Amino acid sequence: DRGDAISLSGHDLEGSPISLDSMRGKPTVVTVWGSWCASCRKDSPFLVAAKKQLGAKVNFVGIDSRDAGTAQAKAYNQRFGIDWPSFFSPGGEALLAFPGVLTPNSVPATVVLDEQGRAAVDINGGVPSTLTLVQLVQDVLRHG
């Protein structure tokens, strides 16, 4: 039982509206990060490589947690070649949309939502490897 679909709406780093509900219909990889997070810097290359391997079959979205402003976050994304949008959550409040899955201190973390928006996989801490993440997402693609 994956529980209820997770709904989250807010604004991205550019100030544009963003919503998990709009990403339903295919799995979504949600990555929780902050430009201040050393472990996130280790995670980012794995996530970027996984997105390249998975292609258009999967959505990717971030939650930028506890960055004071968007300038640092944008520089971080540019440095690591991250091209997916991120919710801007300076107080970490966006993590509350994931009860029982994430806590306000879940940085870094990665959650794979199924096509209905339900949490199918959660990795609290860094992603072990690109291969591991790709395999987990492919499992969600195969089994819904």
Side-chain angles (χ1 to χ4, degrees):
D1 180 28
R2 294 185 178 161
D4 295 331
I6 295 173
S7 290
L8 176 62
S9 295
H11 291 90
D12 66 14
L13 300 177
E14 302 297 331
S16 299
I18 185 173
S19 168
L20 286 179
D21 293 350
S22 69
M23 297 178 195
R24 298 225 174 109
K26 56 185 172 180
T28 299
V29 176
V30 181
T31 176
V32 182
W33 63 280
S35 66
W36 49 268
C37 168
S39 295
C40 298
R41 288 188 281 278
K42 293 178 188 173
D43 239 16
S44 290
F46 296 142
L47 293 159
V48 169
K51 182 178 186 282
K52 286 179 184 171
Q53 286 185 34
L54 292 163
K57 297 180 283 189
V58 178
N59 297 309
F60 272 70
V61 67
I63 298 175
D64 174 26
S65 182
R66 299 193 322 253
D67 267 326
T70 60
Q72 303 94 323
K74 290 176 187 178
Y76 179 95
N77 283 343
Q78 184 175 13
R79 176 179 175 196
F80 289 101
I82 296 170
D83 62 359
W84 54 83
S86 284
F87 290 90
F88 181 56
S89 184
E93 61 282 343
L95 303 181
L96 299 175
F98 296 78
V101 178
L102 298 174
T103 70
N105 295 324
S106 293
V107 180
T110 302
V111 178
V112 180
L113 304 177
D114 66 14
E115 61 278 347
Q116 295 174 37
R118 302 171 304 172
V121 175
D122 68 270
I123 303 169
N124 279 292
V127 172
S129 69
T130 298
L131 179 61
T132 300
L133 180 58
V134 168
Q135 288 173 334
L136 290 168
V137 172
Q138 287 174 336
D139 221 23
V140 172
L141 281 163
R142 274 192 298 276
H143 303 292

